[in-house]
Amino acid sequence: MMTNRFANTWAILRLDLRHDWLKITLWIGGLAGLMVIAAGKFGGIYSTQQALVSIAETLKTPAMVALFGPFTATPPYAVAVIYGAEMMVFMGLFAAMMNVYFAVHATRAEEDSGTAELILARAVGRQSQLAAAMLELVLINVAAGCLEALGLQAANMAGSNAAGDWLFGLGLAAFGLMFGAAALLAAQVMSSARGATTLSYGWLGVTFIARMATDVANPDWTWWTFFGWIEKMGLYTTNRWLPVGLMLGFSVVVLAIAVTVAATRDIGAGIVSPRPGRRTARAWLQGPLTLLVRLERTSTLIWWLGLFILGAAYGSIFGTVGDLVKSNPMLAKLLGNSGVTAANHAVILSLANTLTVIFAVVATIPAVTTLLRLNTEERQGRLELLHAAPVSRLRLFSATVIQALVSGTAALALGVLGMAVAGNAVMTSPISLARFMRGFVGYWPALLVVCGLAALLVGCWPRWQRLIWLVPVYGVLSKYLGPMLNFPDWAQRLTPYGWVNAVPQHAVAWPPVAGMVALGVAFLVIAGIGYRRRDLTMN
Amino acid sequence: MTEVLTVDHLQKRFGQFQALKDISLTIHAGEVFGFIGPNGAGKSTTIRTLLGILRPTAGHATIFGLDAWRDAVKIHRRLAYVPGDVNLWPNLTGGEVIDFLLRLNGQQHSARTDALIQQFELDPAKKARTYSKGNRQKVALIAAFSSDAELYIFDEPTSGLDPLMEEVFQQQVLALKQAGKSVLLSSHILSEVERMCDRIAIIRQGTIIEVGSLSEMRQLSRSTVHVTTQQPLAAIADWPTVHQFTASTPTQAVFAVDAEAMGQVMATLSQLGIVALTTTPPTLEDLFLRYYNSEAGHDDESLR
Ligand SMILES: Nc1ncnc2c1ncn2[C@@H]1O[C@H](COP(=O)(O)OP(=O)(O)OP(=O)(O)O)[C@@H](O)[C@H]1O
Ligand SMILES: [Mg+2]
């Protein structure tokens, strides 16, 4: 019975690996490379005990705890300890993203494209594809973990030890697998690859926010947030393996549920069977723009809600972050009341700057997804009927751009708004909403430029359109880790996110804003021209 | 007769691959035009070029006297299209898609739409993700038939339909024909083409190799003759215009005759004293197979 259900799993695994080897290599190489390069940089930046103490003090502030996780080490500090504290949460996010990608790719995406049907008609078990996907994830994570551990050993940071290096690598592997397992479950529950990816990211977001909130409030509670286990390993200090066991155990439980769910549903269907819908279209469904609005309605609302919640979650810690007197009672005497308020505000606004970058990057995701959709739908053959209708290409293109910009713009605005509202609710002396909104005004042009670049690829070089994802990934890397890694100026300015001045601390600098808007619009225009001139079928 | 559609030495190249080498054809108003050819011959590519989805590498295509590439939108207002592979947005229902497509052309869901939904036995409340291939095709067919256009383009519209639905489709096309509409029908179902089309183009490897009405094409080809005579007829076997001669007895044989030699053969046969005679004109299938097989080269002389 067992062997029947899983017949030929190995053959499918081999096929999956042969398809994906390049992507797997790029992901693993990218992650391990990032870790090793960062390890090398850390040694250079934090070469004196003074530098270490100063960064340790910074990492202990609530703002940094919210971004990087709690810092629990005691002096004297070693480079490796700082490295572990700064990199863990960040690398965990990337490992989780990799796992979600491969999990959905190997299961739900194959069902959507019909490949699964071809394979299932062969002598394979009903659950062989799921089993092969699980094995693929295990292989990918173990390979990534080992490579990272070996890389760390080679980097040989001061204060590092083999136990810590391997704990870091394998801990990340277990962490990634935990979210990969969740994505496999999501792939069984949802009725499309897109839905499965959205649900997986939703889970990642919820656990991330929970970990941030508990870290700032009471780190003991972080044990209950799943995401937080990765922080509990005490890298290069206590080197605890218990969290790795918890992550693996949880993965096994989730996988078991996924297998059970898979056994009860049909291939190509979710567990919720689709309900009948409308017999006729609503009156407003009239053209390409309203069609896009109708198609993206649910996912747009989820993104907007998600960003508002993310913003509010960060805003809710502003009370703790902006209370410098609590951690340093001398300050009140030194600065006086108004001075303390100013200092508090400075800390909050600086954190708000980092957060706004994060919102801007996250808000690019729905916008860019919408833009890429123009070609994705084309490949799926869904636009052929539209092209034969009296809808000009320019109109179709413009509709896509409008939907993308509206969903991205609103997402960014809602992130900032959530942060401002929740922040002001908990702060003793509020900061005006207009001040926070400087962040929105400052970063919106960056969003526009990234959308322009995405449109350019979509319109002129459709084969390469997925390269656009490098921009937000590098953007978050350079703005989140860049300051810690002393990235040179030019390296921070490789993406549009790096061209924005320090808002909301300072007033919006208009020349770069105007320049970026002009550039973004120019990209969109060129993209539109390219889209009008080229062939539309690519397969 | 006015020309609805003219294709003039159309070429299309995908990178190194020349998908269309030389396509020229004309469709007149009120005509049902059949488009047949083997897989990968370039039928869909031609149609996509006509729709302005692909840009011609060389040559021209005009519809209603307008350029297919430049004036696509103007043309599309007066045209309805059903692709061979209908892919719909999984979250919309069939009913929503039909209404949406109609509205794009400035038309409305009408009593005719409801009648077509009935005739094609479609459940319009179902989500497109749950439709079978045939049902997805029905959605596009209903939208096309219920819109009021001058030219209808169908690219293998019935590949997923059951025989009953196929019949409904043919009735609808004949109704269009009666109403004086023009139709371009690409199909692998030759009986369908034979029954409905006034003229036919055969395409192979990106080149139109024959255009004409079925009877014209028949005249260009051979008929099969079953004959029994009083006197032995073996002598005929050696004629250059007679092919595949097989005799079961000295006075009974089956063979194929080139159209232009038919009179001569008949005269000779009647001198031999005909006992029984049937001649069968070539079916479209015969024509088709003959044209396609000639690709291999071994049977080249069989073309005409
Ligand atoms: N976008 C493209 N890029 C490269 N080659 C293409 C493209 N579209 C079509 N082709 C090639 O052009 C040729 C003609 O394809 P087309 O789809 O027009 O054939 P068809 O006559 O419609 O065949 P079928 O009867 O199978 O539908 C095929 O060899 C096909 O592989
Ligand atoms: Mg075709």
Side-chain angles (χ1 to χ4, degrees), chain B:
Chain B
M1 266 195 290
T2 51
E3 289 165 0
V4 170
L5 183 155
T6 326
V7 180
D8 183 23
H9 297 293
L10 188 71
Q11 294 182 23
K12 178 67 198 175
R13 176 184 277 286
F14 295 112
Q16 286 301 303
F17 178 70
Q18 179 111 31
L20 301 182
K21 292 181 191 126
D22 182 14
I23 306 285
S24 296
L25 51 90
T26 310
I27 300 181
H28 303 288
E31 186 171 57
V32 178
F33 192 91
F35 201 28
I36 61 178
N39 294 130
K43 300 180 295 294
S44 301
T45 305
T46 306
I47 290 177
R48 290 201 176 111
T49 317
L50 289 174
L51 291 169
I53 294 174
L54 299 177
R55 184 178 197 153
T57 312
H60 291 284
T62 37
I63 302 182
F64 312 130
L66 299 165
D67 185 86
W69 171 261
R70 258 187 305 115
D71 303 316
V73 175
K74 276 187 208 151
I75 294 171
H76 294 178
R77 277 193 242 284
R78 300 158 65 184
L79 158 161
Y81 168 60
V82 177
D85 236 334
V86 179
N87 292 291
L88 306 172
W89 299 279
N91 280 331
L92 297 190
T93 64
E96 282 179 296
V97 175
I98 292 172
D99 289 2
F100 176 68
L101 291 174
L102 282 173
R103 285 175 197 169
L104 285 178
N105 276 55
Q107 309 194 349
Q108 291 299 327
H109 188 114
S110 60
R112 182 167 164 66
T113 316
D114 287 326
L116 283 162
I117 290 176
Q118 286 261 315
Q119 271 186 310
F120 278 106
E121 294 171 18
L122 179 81
D123 178 356
K126 274 183 151 182
K127 290 271 161 75
R129 99 164 66 254
T130 67
Y131 279 139
S132 64
K133 175 178 164 66
N135 279 329
R136 290 199 306 268
Q137 247 166 356
K138 286 181 195 173
V139 169
L141 284 170
I142 292 169
F145 283 126
S146 78
S147 52
D148 182 24
E150 291 165 53
L151 172 66
Y152 295 77
I153 298 181
F154 301 106
D155 188 1
E156 293 180 45
T158 55
S159 51
L161 296 190
D162 65 47
L164 282 177
M165 291 304 133
E166 160 93 39
E167 184 58 36
V168 177
F169 169 76
Q170 295 194 9
Q171 281 166 14
Q172 290 298 333
V173 173
L174 292 174
L176 291 180
K177 188 172 171 176
Q178 233 122 59
K181 314 284 190 180
S182 317
V183 177
L184 170 58
L185 170 66
S186 143
S187 178
H188 287 301
I189 302 177
L190 298 174
S191 61
E192 184 177 276
V193 176
E194 201 162 3
R195 179 172 164 201
M196 297 191 293
C197 295
D198 303 312
R199 287 195 313 135
I200 296 163
I202 300 182
I203 176 175
R204 203 187 66 209
Q205 292 178 351
T207 312
I208 298 270
I209 50 175
E210 196 64 71
V211 191
S213 67
L214 189 54
S215 55
E216 281 165 9
M217 283 198 196
R218 278 183 175 146
Q219 287 180 2
L220 293 172
S221 191
R222 306 171 192 143
S223 301
T224 309
V225 177
H226 290 253
V227 67
T228 313
T229 46
Q230 289 165 343
Q231 295 161 38
L233 44 62
I236 288 185
D238 300 330
W239 289 26
T241 48
V242 169
H243 311 268
Q244 292 146 14
F245 185 94
T246 33
S248 38
T249 68
T251 57
Q252 195 173 6
V254 182
F255 54 87
V257 184
D258 290 346
E260 68 267 22
M262 189 56 107
Q264 225 179 335
V265 169
M266 285 301 144
T268 314
L269 286 178
S270 60
Q271 281 167 17
L272 298 176
I274 297 174
V275 177
L277 172 79
T278 53
T279 62
T280 327
T283 60
L284 187 54
E285 198 156 336
D286 294 331
L287 289 173
F288 194 76
L289 291 175
R290 196 164 299 159
Y291 278 119
Y292 292 7
N293 286 338
S294 65
E295 181 193 354
H298 57 76
D299 200 6
D300 244 347
E301 52 87 49
S302 77
L303 260 175
R304 300 186 189 185

Side-chain angles (χ1 to χ4, degrees), chain A residues 334-349:
Chain A
L334 279 172
L335 298 177
N337 259 347
S338 62
V340 166
T341 306
N344 284 348
H345 281 185
V347 172
I348 288 172
L349 289 172

Side-chain angles (χ1 to χ4, degrees), chain A residues 134 181-182 185 246-260:
Chain A
M134 288 179 194
L185 177 56
L246 285 174
M247 291 190 270
L248 287 179
F250 184 65
S251 306
V252 170
V253 171
V254 175
L255 287 175
I257 299 175
V259 169
T260 317

Side-chain angles (χ1 to χ4, degrees), chain A residues 235-501:
Chain A
L235 286 174
Y236 304 110
T237 54
T238 46
N239 278 347
R240 256 188 304 192
W241 285 86
L242 171 66
V244 179
L246 285 174
M247 291 190 270
L248 287 179
F250 184 65
S251 306
V252 170
V253 171
V254 175
L255 287 175
I257 299 175
V259 169
T260 317
V261 173
T264 61
R265 71 173 190 114
D266 294 331
I267 293 301
I271 49 170
V272 189
S273 45
R275 280 166 295 134
R278 306 180 53 83
R279 302 178 63 87
T280 55
R282 285 185 199 280
W284 51 260
L285 187 65
Q286 293 278 0
L289 182 58
T290 43
L291 175 72
L292 263 177
V293 170
R294 164 77 178 76
L295 294 175
E296 305 226 309
R297 193 172 51 191
T298 317
S299 71
T300 308
L301 289 179
I302 290 176
W303 278 105
W304 288 353
L305 188 70
L307 260 138
F308 186 80
I309 293 174
L310 185 67
Y314 274 115
S316 68
I317 60 166
F318 281 5
T320 322
V321 172
D323 192 358
L324 296 176
V325 180
K326 195 173 166 195
S327 51
N328 191 350
M330 282 302 288
L331 220 54
K333 288 201 183 101
L334 279 172
L335 298 177
N337 259 347
S338 62
V340 166
T341 306
N344 284 348
H345 281 185
V347 172
I348 288 172
L349 289 172
S350 150
L351 175 61
N353 170 262
T354 310
L355 295 178
T356 310
V357 184
I358 296 174
F359 302 150
V361 170
V362 177
T364 350
I365 301 175
V368 167
T369 312
T370 302
L371 288 167
L372 300 193
R373 189 175 183 135
L374 196 55
N375 285 329
T376 323
E377 296 249 307
E378 185 81 66
R379 283 190 201 118
Q380 287 165 335
R382 293 195 193 130
L383 296 187
E384 195 150 351
L385 282 167
L386 210 58
H387 292 320
V391 173
S392 69
R393 293 191 187 191
L394 192 59
R395 189 163 155 221
L396 181 59
F397 180 80
S398 315
T400 311
V401 169
I402 290 171
Q403 162 72 15
L405 287 180
V406 168
S407 77
T409 304
L412 175 57
L414 283 167
V416 176
L417 188 70
M419 172 177 80
V421 170
N424 278 335
V426 294
M427 280 188 291
T428 41
S429 70
I431 300 174
S432 76
L433 179 62
R435 189 87 196 261
F436 281 117
M437 278 297 163
R438 282 179 186 175
F440 167 74
V441 177
Y443 278 99
W444 183 80
L447 178 75
L448 180 69
V449 173
V450 180
C451 285
L453 278 171
L456 207 56
L457 289 173
V458 168
C460 303
W461 296 282
R463 260 171 226 281
W464 303 102
Q465 65 174 13
R466 277 152 81 183
L467 287 183
I468 190 64
W469 292 119
L470 290 177
V471 178
V473 166
Y474 182 79
V476 85
L477 195 79
S478 61
K479 297 297 286 185
Y480 204 108
L481 279 190
M484 296 289 161
L485 291 178
N486 278 3
F487 265 31
D489 230 24
W490 63 264
Q492 302 226 29
R493 297 177 131 266
L494 280 180
T495 69
Y497 307 107
W499 304 343
V500 183
N501 73 326

